[in-house]
Amino acid sequence: MLFTVERKPEICKQNNNRPGCCWYLCDNPKTSLCKNCYSCYSNCPHNVYEVINDEPIPIHQERCVGCKICEEMCPTRAIYVRPLADEERGVWTNHTMLEIKRKSQTGSYKVSGCGAYRFIPSFDDLSILPAQVSRPPIDTYREPCKTSVVLGDRFAENPIKIDTPIMIGAMSFGAISKEAKIALAIGSSKAGTIANTGEGGMLPEERHYADKLIAQYA
């Protein structure tokens, strides 16, 4: 569930004659930080706030888990945390609207790579059966257990065999440096897998060091 964090700046700036940055008396105040109240910024465990122009702003609201620590620690009760209803207005999801709000407040884009909109499983979704740990399903002394994979075994005239089921993704020269391309080519040969040229053309050194190389044409 997503949460929205609303901060009332006119209430937040009220002078409470406090020597510290929190509702309690600070034993070791920092003069450079205590000119304004940064209680929400200092106490948020999920880094929702950023200090912009000497004011704490809830920029990263997508990180909020609704713990309401900032709301409880605010001495002027200027912060309100409330859950957002799970609703979609066409392509305008809550995540999209929170990102638009963040960009309007900061004037900057969130730099991120291209990705899929579908749900991607994580390591938290893995279930480990204790019986598999104590009793291996394959007798390593009688049955082979390998990670090698054959690509195109059924239909290709020249199937490709690699030692690991993990291949290096397509990253073009220009997106990454020449040295990085050479390092990936060397690493792919040592790991027994395939490198990929990407759309930036094939470097002679990349072809030289990569045992197997996918040439990508755009």
Side-chain angles (χ1 to χ4, degrees):
M1 177 180 289
L2 291 176
F3 293 84
T4 180
V5 182
E6 182 181 2
R7 170 182 167 270
K8 301 283 189 179
E10 65 279 2
I11 302 178
C12 179
K13 290 183 178 181
Q14 289 180 355
N15 185 10
N16 295 317
N17 295 321
R18 291 174 294 105
C21 63
C22 300
W23 58 269
Y24 53 84
L25 296 181
C26 183
D27 295 328
N28 186 22
K30 295 182 180 180
T31 307
S32 60
L33 296 179
C34 289
K35 56 185 175 180
N36 289 324
C37 175
Y38 295 126
S39 177
C40 49
Y41 171 78
S42 302
N43 292 286
C44 177
H46 300 284
N47 299 320
V48 174
Y49 293 84
E50 287 188 13
V51 177
I52 300 176
N53 296 328
D54 290 335
E55 291 190 32
I57 308 295
I59 296 299
H60 307 287
Q61 297 198 22
E62 72 280 359
R63 301 176 183 173
C64 181
V65 297
C67 65
K68 297 189 177 182
I69 292 179
C70 59
E71 184 176 310
E72 292 296 327
M73 298 294 286
C74 180
T76 59
R77 296 294 183 261
I79 297 176
Y80 304 92
V81 179
R82 56 186 176 86
L84 284 175
D86 294 331
E87 61 176 355
E88 294 188 8
R89 303 172 185 174
V91 297
W92 306 102
T93 62
N94 286 330
H95 283 284
T96 304
M97 289 185 283
L98 285 177
E99 174 61 13
I100 293 174
K101 184 177 180 180
R102 186 198 67 80
K103 287 189 288 188
S104 67
Q105 291 175 329
T106 62
S108 62
Y109 286 89
K110 181 184 294 183
V111 180
S112 61
C114 298
Y117 287 100
R118 62 187 177 88
F119 173 75
I120 304 297
S122 66
F123 286 106
D124 295 333
D125 300 318
L126 295 178
S127 297
I128 299 177
L129 300 179
Q132 297 286 341
V133 178
S134 61
R135 197 177 343 171
I138 295 179
D139 189 347
T140 56
Y141 295 100
R142 297 181 181 179
E143 302 179 44
C145 183
K146 300 180 179 179
T147 60
S148 59
V149 177
V150 179
L151 304 177
D153 189 23
R154 292 187 298 170
F155 304 108
E157 295 182 2
N158 297 308
I160 299 177
K161 183 178 180 180
I162 55 179
D163 298 334
T164 174
I166 300 175
M167 297 187 298
I168 296 178
M171 292 175 281
S172 61
F173 172 58
I176 59 177
S177 64
K178 177 180 178 180
E179 292 76 11
K181 295 292 290 182
I182 295 175
L184 290 173
I186 296 174
S188 67
S189 298
K190 290 185 176 182
T193 185
I194 304 176
N196 195 311
T197 63
E199 299 180 356
M202 182 188 300
L203 294 174
E205 296 86 352
E206 184 180 20
R207 175 63 278 189
H208 173 74
Y209 288 109
D211 181 47
K212 299 180 180 66
L213 182 64
I214 297 176
Q216 180 174 333
Y217 292 88

